[in-house]
Amino acid sequence: MEYTYGYDSPLGRIFLAADGQALTGLWFEGQKYFAAKLDRDHEEKNLPVFERTGVWLDLYFSGKKPDFTPPLTLKGTSFQREVWEAMLAISFGQTTTYAEIAMGIAKNRGISSMSAQAVGNAVAHNPISLIIPCHRVVGTDGSLTGYAGGLEKKKWLLAMERKACYNLEETKRNRVCTADEQ
């Protein structure tokens, strides 16, 4: 049995899904591939995993890098899960490219190359947006390419993260200056 719950974000309603113990889905309402992996039989119910995810989302949308990841169950092919795991390693406020993920997977597999297009397809089918940060994957030239939640949301998310990182760096610099002055 899967369970669902709603979360109101600055970018609109977010739909959460869980198997009872771990998060299995997180989508902006109406996004491409919305609830694609959700069981037909599901029940709306608040669970501890949803409360934990809500804390993560509250931190994230307040411009803070959450220091934990809610428990996740990744429902997809082994290749998709490999791509999603690679996305989990992309730091808050940073970006990478489809080609860089493909090169990393190829290296891990001990092969010479991997299709960036195949990676792009797996990124597009990420069932746990935001936490698995597919919005941080950009084109080779740095362009903002597809995002199932919509490019405007992708722009907003990246700008929010960059601003949060800039503010953190400013705070660190100010602390160092203040400490040096004493």
Side-chain angles (χ1 to χ4, degrees):
M1 174 64 108
E2 276 194 297
Y3 302 93
T4 59
Y5 196 72
Y7 176 89
D8 291 317
S9 83
L11 294 174
R13 190 101 168 128
I14 291 177
F15 188 75
L16 308 171
D19 60 12
Q21 301 299 315
L23 199 65
T24 59
L26 188 155
W27 307 271
F28 286 104
E29 200 163 56
Q31 82 175 45
K32 192 173 184 180
Y33 309 117
F34 178 79
K37 302 271 184 194
L38 183 64
D39 289 346
R40 287 183 191 262
D41 295 326
H42 59 274
E43 174 184 327
E44 187 167 334
K45 182 178 182 180
N46 194 3
L47 300 169
V49 67
F50 293 141
E51 290 175 12
R52 187 91 170 125
T53 302
V55 169
W56 191 99
L57 291 166
D58 289 344
L59 287 167
Y60 178 79
F61 282 116
S62 70
K64 297 178 181 139
K65 177 186 174 194
D67 61 355
F68 69 95
T69 301
L72 307 175
T73 296
L74 303 177
K75 295 163 74 177
T77 66
S78 60
F79 177 72
Q80 286 174 325
R81 289 191 311 270
E82 197 172 1
V83 171
W84 301 336
E85 290 287 343
M87 286 190 295
L88 278 168
I90 307 168
S91 297
F92 184 91
Q94 302 296 311
T95 59
T96 192
T97 68
Y98 301 95
E100 288 170 331
I101 292 174
M103 286 187 291
I105 291 173
K107 182 178 177 184
N108 290 343
R109 290 181 169 194
I111 58 177
S112 61
S113 65
M114 169 71 54
S115 166
Q117 288 178 321
V119 167
N121 189 43
V123 169
H125 287 84
N126 170 19
I128 305 177
S129 293
L130 299 176
I131 294 173
I132 299 176
C134 49
H135 62 280
R136 296 181 189 148
V137 184
V138 299
T140 302
D141 62 358
S143 61
L144 298 186
T145 57
Y147 181 60
L151 283 181
E152 287 305 312
K153 284 183 176 78
K154 184 172 187 165
K155 288 177 191 174
W156 189 95
L157 294 166
L158 291 173
M160 182 272 299
E161 289 184 17
R162 286 187 184 119
K163 180 179 179 190
C165 288
Y166 175 80
N167 290 341
L168 179 61
E169 288 303 313
E170 273 300 303
T171 301
K172 285 179 184 177
R173 277 195 295 275
N174 289 339
R175 282 191 201 145
V176 170
C177 293
T178 304
D180 288 346
E181 292 170 359
Q182 294 177 352

